[in-house]
């Protein structure tokens, strides 16, 4: 009883340690160069958000003046002195210094027996806004802004009255602009809070975390921990694991090397370990995809003739009446394919059982032979926008009999025709499948361009620049829809 309990506790502890130390299969680094491009989009987004600020009506009496200020709007923004930078161990810092905001409003003023009405502008100078965004992993494994620290300060504001009593009202302007400056100070940070915690988080929620790739497999891009932020970059560690849609809990354990990113020259880097590719191959294997039956019109005529010639004696010994029966090849991968990534490139090793069968009409199929096929493919990885694609080329091919070494010698004439069949029929099918690509975790409106793929021992690194096909405001609007 005690021994059984200790064993369970040990297994629980071991699984907990493994879960805590599980390496990521996918990493993304955004560098300060990528952030610099995002700065312009962020500036435009902030300007649009601040331009929607609404101000309350101001009504009252000051000395001999009775006033009513309405329809206060932001008419112009100048945030040219804005900067977006990494805030180590926190997230992002958006800083605005020495900028300006212009307000327009409608005035109704009564001074003694004089009544004046019209529109006027008030200009706020020396506007400073300091906003820190805390980036975390939420409970679903998504990137999220968890908190925003904002400080806004407007040091000066002035208004120039015009009209009949313009000069008389000049001394009233100081009172009015002080009130507008206080109100505007109180409105800026709530507007930015709403923009970040609601609008930006809604956009981040559209980035796929656990999603279907096709009808057979899905992919898990959940963050494994909070982003790592330094003065030069933001690094995100994703699980990067495929899974079988029919059995989502039957997944591959990650024993692969951790992918590493050492560069900062490009705007963004994507690193993928051998586990990323192996989990996809494992999931397809579990889904039963790696099987093929070649018969009738799918069977090349010269290969069919060669098979009949090779197994002529076997057929005659079994039953000469089977000679005219259709010949088929049944291919079934018998173990999950394995990816190997080295500095020289990436390869995929695959082993399959090939059965040579006869299909007599109205009878059960007859097996003539069973052989093992060992193949190795070169795998070339590429990026297209947000899609990761792989192109395969057959590199090595070998077959041998499962019955005897003597039969393996008899199979030598089949080596070349079977290899040609794979190159002409099977490999194009694989490439037609894989060229559709797998989406990486980027928001709609952002794509990779000018990609460079580098192969390392155990992982690949793709360095690229970023292209915004639409602005940040349009991306946020799209997520709301």
């Amino acid at each position: 009883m005690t021994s059984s309990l200790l064993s369970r506790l040990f297994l629980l502890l071991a699984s907990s340690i493994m879960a805590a130390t599980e390496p990521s299969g996918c990493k993304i680094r955004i560098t300060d160069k990528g952030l610099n491009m995002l700065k312009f989009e962020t500036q435009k987004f902030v300007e649009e958000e601040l331009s929607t600020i609404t101000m309350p009506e101001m009504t009252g009496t000051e000395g001999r003046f009775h006033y009513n200020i309405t329809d206060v709007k932001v008419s112009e923004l100048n945030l040219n002195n804005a900067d977006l930078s990494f805030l180590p161990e926190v997230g992002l810092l958006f800083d605005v210094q020495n900028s300006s905001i212009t307000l327009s409003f409608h005035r109704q003023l009564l001074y003694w027996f004089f009544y004046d009405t019209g529109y006027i502008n008030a200009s706020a100078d020396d506007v400073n806004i300091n906003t820190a965004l805390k980036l975390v992993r939420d409970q679903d494994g998504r990137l999220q802004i968890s908190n925003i620290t904002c400080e806004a300060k407007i040091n000066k504001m002035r208004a120039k009255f015009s009209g009949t009593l313009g000069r008389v009202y000049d001394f009233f302007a100081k009172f009015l602009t002080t009130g507008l400056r206080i109100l505007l100070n109180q409105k800026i940070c709530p507007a930015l809070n709403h923009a970040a915690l609601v609008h930006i988080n809604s956009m981040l929620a559209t980035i796929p975390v656990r999603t279907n790739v096709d009808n057979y497999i899905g992919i898990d891009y959940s963050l494994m921990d909070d982003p790592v932020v330094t003065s030069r970059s933001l690094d995100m560690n994703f699980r990067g694991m495929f899974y079988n849609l029919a059995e989502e809990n039957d997944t591959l354990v990650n024993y692969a090397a951790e992918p590493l990113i050492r560069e900062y020259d490009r705007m963004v880097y994507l690193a993928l370990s051998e586990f990323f590719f192996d989990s996809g191959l494992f999931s397809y294997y579990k889904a039963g995809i790696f099987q093929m039956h070649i018969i009738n019109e799918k069977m090349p005529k010269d290969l069919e003739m060669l098979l009949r010639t090779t197994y002529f004696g076997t057929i005659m010994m079994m039953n000469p009446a089977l000679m005219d029966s259709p010949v088929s090849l049944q291919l079934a991968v018998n173990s999950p394919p394995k990816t190997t990534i080295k500095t020289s490139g990436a390869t995929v090793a695959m082993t399959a059982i090939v059965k040579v069968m006869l299909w007599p009409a109205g009878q059960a199929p007859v097996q003539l032979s069973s052989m093992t096929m060992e193949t190795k493919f070169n795998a070339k990885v590429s990026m297209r926008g947000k899609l990761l694609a792989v192109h395969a080329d057959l590199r090595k091919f070998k077959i041998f009999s499962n019955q005897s070494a003597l039969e393996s010698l008899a199979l030598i004439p089949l080596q070349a025709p079977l290899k040609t069949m794979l190159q002409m029929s099977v490999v194009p099918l694989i490439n037609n499948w894989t060229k559709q690509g797998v989406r990486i975790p980027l928001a709609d409106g952002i794509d990779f361009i000018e990609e460079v793929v580098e192969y390392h021992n155990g992982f690949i690194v793709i360095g690229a620049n970023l292209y915004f096909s639409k602005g940040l405001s349009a991306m946020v609007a799209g997520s709301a829809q």
Side-chain angles (χ1 to χ4, degrees), residues 2 110 114 172 175 185 222 418 450:
T2 303
L110 179 64
F114 297 99
F172 175 67
F175 164 78
N185 263 329
S222 58
L418 286 176
E450 301 169 350

Side-chain angles (χ1 to χ4, degrees), residues 51-58 68-75 102-107 119-120 122 157 176 180 183-184:
S51 67
T52 63
I53 287 178
T54 58
M55 305 277 280
E57 179 179 314
M58 296 172 63
N68 183 32
I69 305 300
T70 59
D71 198 22
V72 183
K73 296 178 180 179
V74 177
S75 59
T102 301
L103 301 178
S104 67
F105 55 90
H106 185 263
R107 73 181 189 274
Y119 280 90
I120 190 172
M157 178 173 272
L176 179 62
L180 288 173
L183 284 174
L184 187 57

Side-chain angles (χ1 to χ4, degrees), residues 6-194:
L6 287 174
S7 298
R8 291 180 181 179
L9 287 173
F10 175 78
L11 289 173
L12 180 62
L13 178 62
S15 62
S16 299
I17 293 174
M18 181 177 293
T21 58
E22 180 186 357
S24 60
C26 170
K27 287 189 175 185
I28 290 182
R29 165 174 290 175
I30 299 175
T31 68
D32 48 5
K33 292 184 178 180
L35 196 65
N36 190 52
M37 185 174 187
L38 183 61
K39 180 183 76 173
F40 177 68
E41 294 297 332
T42 304
Q43 179 182 325
K44 289 196 302 181
F45 175 70
V46 170
E47 288 176 348
E48 291 179 13
E49 290 296 310
L50 293 183
S51 67
T52 63
I53 287 178
T54 58
M55 305 277 280
E57 179 179 314
M58 296 172 63
T59 302
T61 302
E62 176 65 17
R64 300 282 185 181
F65 284 96
H66 299 273
Y67 61 89
N68 183 32
I69 305 300
T70 59
D71 198 22
V72 183
K73 296 178 180 179
V74 177
S75 59
E76 186 178 346
L77 280 163
N78 179 8
L79 303 184
N80 290 335
N81 298 318
D83 186 44
L84 182 66
S85 60
F86 293 116
L87 191 59
E89 300 181 9
V90 177
L92 301 176
L93 176 65
F94 183 70
D95 188 53
V96 176
Q97 297 292 329
N98 300 320
S99 294
S100 64
I101 300 177
T102 301
L103 301 178
S104 67
F105 55 90
H106 185 263
R107 73 181 189 274
Q108 290 177 306
L109 301 176
L110 179 64
Y111 179 71
W112 290 93
F113 300 107
F114 297 99
Y115 176 75
D116 193 27
T117 183
Y119 280 90
I120 190 172
N121 291 330
S123 299
D125 297 319
D126 197 13
V127 177
N128 302 305
I129 307 171
N130 187 277
T131 308
L133 306 176
K134 174 67 174 176
L135 298 177
V136 299
R137 172 194 182 275
D138 73 2
Q139 61 183 3
D140 297 321
R142 296 182 182 276
L143 180 65
Q144 184 185 62
I145 301 172
S146 66
N147 187 40
I148 176 171
T149 304
C150 178
E151 181 181 357
K153 186 176 182 181
I154 300 174
N155 292 318
K156 294 181 295 184
M157 178 173 272
R158 65 183 186 275
K160 180 65 175 177
F161 285 86
S162 61
T164 307
L165 302 176
R167 298 181 66 85
V168 178
Y169 295 154
D170 280 348
F171 78 95
F172 175 67
K174 184 176 181 180
F175 164 78
L176 179 62
T177 54
T178 299
L180 288 173
R181 180 168 59 84
I182 293 172
L183 284 174
L184 187 57
N185 263 329
Q186 295 173 347
K187 290 286 185 176
I188 290 175
C189 284
L192 294 181
N193 273 333
H194 186 266

Side-chain angles (χ1 to χ4, degrees), residues 351-363:
T351 302
I353 299 299
V354 181
K355 294 180 180 180
V356 183
M357 308 288 292
L358 286 176
W359 293 78
Q363 301 180 38

Side-chain angles (χ1 to χ4, degrees), residues 439-452:
R439 178 174 173 174
I440 60 172
L442 281 181
D444 287 329
I446 305 177
D447 292 319
F448 278 26
I449 60 170
E450 301 169 350
E451 310 89 352
V452 175

Side-chain angles (χ1 to χ4, degrees), residues 216-228:
Y216 305 101
I217 69 171
I219 188 165
D220 185 346
Y221 276 129
S222 58
L223 280 170
M224 303 187 69
D225 45 36
D226 290 343
V228 178

Side-chain angles (χ1 to χ4, degrees), residues 219-467:
I219 188 165
D220 185 346
Y221 276 129
S222 58
L223 280 170
M224 303 187 69
D225 45 36
D226 290 343
V228 178
V229 187
T230 68
S231 61
R232 301 182 65 187
S233 66
L234 183 147
D235 289 359
M236 294 173 285
N237 299 319
F238 299 92
R239 175 158 282 112
M241 178 189 71
F242 294 89
Y243 55 89
N244 176 14
L245 294 178
E247 192 63 52
E248 295 188 9
N249 293 324
D250 186 8
T251 57
L252 188 67
V253 179
N254 187 356
Y255 296 113
E258 183 93 15
L260 300 175
I261 304 175
R262 298 184 177 90
E263 296 85 359
Y264 296 88
D265 295 333
R266 295 297 191 99
M267 293 182 183
V268 62
Y269 289 91
L270 170 69
L272 304 168
S273 73
E274 290 177 347
F275 169 77
F276 178 86
F277 300 98
D278 282 345
S279 67
L281 294 169
F282 176 85
S283 300
Y284 275 131
Y285 171 75
K286 288 293 185 177
I289 299 304
F290 297 130
Q291 299 182 29
M292 181 174 290
H293 189 198
I294 302 173
I295 190 173
N296 297 330
E297 65 276 0
K298 295 181 181 179
M299 175 73 71
K301 295 301 180 181
D302 53 348
L303 179 59
E304 179 185 3
M305 182 62 67
L306 186 59
L307 289 172
R308 290 188 184 279
T309 302
T310 302
Y311 294 100
F312 177 80
T314 304
I315 297 173
M316 293 301 292
M317 291 178 62
M318 286 182 173
N319 184 354
L322 299 175
M323 183 60 67
D324 294 329
S325 300
V327 181
S328 76
L329 288 175
Q330 292 182 345
L331 286 77
V333 174
N334 61 347
S335 63
K338 181 70 179 71
T339 306
T340 301
I341 303 176
K342 297 182 178 179
T343 55
S344 57
T347 59
V348 176
M350 184 181 297
T351 302
I353 299 299
V354 181
K355 294 180 180 180
V356 183
M357 308 288 292
L358 286 176
W359 293 78
Q363 301 180 38
V366 178
Q367 178 176 312
L368 297 178
S369 177
S370 175
M371 64 189 88
T372 297
M373 178 179 69
E374 294 180 350
T375 57
K376 181 174 287 189
F377 299 88
N378 286 328
K380 184 179 180 181
V381 179
S382 62
M383 282 290 301
R384 187 178 68 255
K386 280 186 289 289
L387 296 177
L388 180 76
V390 178
H391 182 85
D393 288 309
L394 185 61
R395 178 180 174 184
K396 291 184 178 180
F397 174 86
K398 178 183 178 182
I399 57 170
F400 54 88
S401 172
N402 295 330
Q403 273 82 35
S404 66
L406 184 62
E407 186 178 10
S408 294
L409 292 175
L411 294 177
I412 291 177
L414 290 176
Q415 296 269 1
L418 286 176
K419 182 178 181 180
T420 300
M421 180 204 68
L422 284 177
Q423 290 174 323
M424 299 297 292
S425 302
V426 179
V427 174
L429 287 175
I430 295 175
N431 286 331
N432 188 57
W433 201 3
T434 58
K435 74 177 183 180
Q436 300 174 26
V438 176
R439 178 174 173 174
I440 60 172
L442 281 181
D444 287 329
I446 305 177
D447 292 319
F448 278 26
I449 60 170
E450 301 169 350
E451 310 89 352
V452 175
V453 181
E454 294 183 353
Y455 295 85
H456 302 265
N457 290 326
F459 60 94
I460 67 169
V461 175
I462 303 173
N465 291 324
L466 293 174
Y467 170 73

